Amino acid sequence: VGRVKDRFSASEMVFSVPMAGLTVKAASLIRNSLPEGTTAMVVKNTLMNRAIDGSEWEAVSPLLKGSNLWFFIEEDIKGSLSSYKGSMKEIGKENEVLGGCIDGDILDPKQVKAVGALPSKKELMAKIAGGINAVPTKLARVIKAPNSKLARAIKLATEEKSE
C-alpha cells in the first residue's frame, strides 16, 4: 500500500486499462515502452482502495472493477498515452482506457484521449520561447523600417535634383 501511495503522490495523472486479454509478455512490452517517469502496475482493487482512501485520488474508485493495469504518470502525459497506444498496435490488441484521474477529477475514456492530445510541457515551452524570440526580431524590423524609408526618400530626392 505504501508503494502505491508513493506512486500516487508523485503522479500528475493516473489512468487504467483492463488486463483482460493481455499476456505477461504484452504487459512487459507496454512497461518497457513507457517514457521515464511513468510506471505501469497491476494493483489489486483492495490495495488500491486502501491507497486512495482519504486522498485526492479517491475519484478513481469507480474504476476499481476487475483486473486493471494502472499507469502512474509523473510528467509526460502525452508521451505516456501515445506510447501505450503504440504498444497496443504493436501487440495487435485494442484495450481501451477505462478512465483516469487528474487533480482529483475522474476522466472518462474520451477525456483521457483529449488530455493526451494536448501539447506537452516541452512543446508549450518551445512555443513560448519561439514567441519570445520573435518579438525582438519584429521590433528590430519596425525600428529599422522608418530609417530605411527615409534613406530611400533622400536618395530619390537627390537623384531627381541631379537629373
Side-chain angles (χ1 to χ4, degrees):
V1 174
R3 204 169 112 203
V4 177
K5 281 185 177 184
D6 291 342
R7 290 280 105 226
F8 272 119
S9 66
S11 298
E12 283 184 6
M13 177 184 176
V14 297
F15 73 94
S16 175
V17 297
M19 271 299 290
L22 288 179
T23 63
V24 174
K25 184 178 177 183
S28 293
L29 177 76
I30 292 168
R31 281 188 185 104
N32 293 335
S33 72
L34 294 173
E36 190 175 328
T38 300
T39 308
M41 299 170 64
V42 177
V43 182
K44 290 189 175 233
N45 293 335
T46 52
L47 292 177
M48 190 66 96
N49 263 323
R50 289 180 191 157
I52 63 173
D53 190 36
S55 74
E56 67 176 309
W57 300 101
E58 275 186 306
V60 300
S61 59
L63 302 174
L64 299 176
K65 294 176 185 146
S67 181
N68 296 321
L69 181 61
W70 288 90
F71 293 81
F72 299 89
I73 305 170
E74 290 180 21
E75 227 176 74
D76 189 6
I77 295 172
K78 183 177 185 173
S80 300
L81 287 166
S82 63
S83 111
Y84 169 71
K85 286 179 192 171
S87 297
M88 293 311 293
K89 282 182 183 176
E90 192 175 321
I91 296 166
K93 299 230 181 216
E94 284 197 32
N95 274 23
E96 287 297 316
V97 173
L98 294 175
C101 184
I102 294 180
D103 295 329
D105 295 325
I106 189 82
L107 305 173
D108 65 28
K110 288 180 184 177
Q111 290 170 320
V112 172
K113 191 175 182 178
V115 168
L118 294 173
S120 67
K121 282 183 183 177
K122 288 180 183 178
E123 291 170 340
L124 287 174
M125 285 191 283
K127 284 182 181 179
I128 290 169
I132 290 171
N133 285 340
V135 170
T137 306
K138 288 179 181 176
L139 183 62
R141 281 189 207 139
V142 168
I143 291 172
K144 187 180 171 187
N147 295 336
S148 63
K149 286 180 181 177
L150 180 62
R152 277 189 233 129
I154 293 171
K155 186 178 176 183
L156 281 172
T158 55
E159 284 177 1
E160 287 177 2
K161 281 186 179 182
S162 62
E163 289 177 3

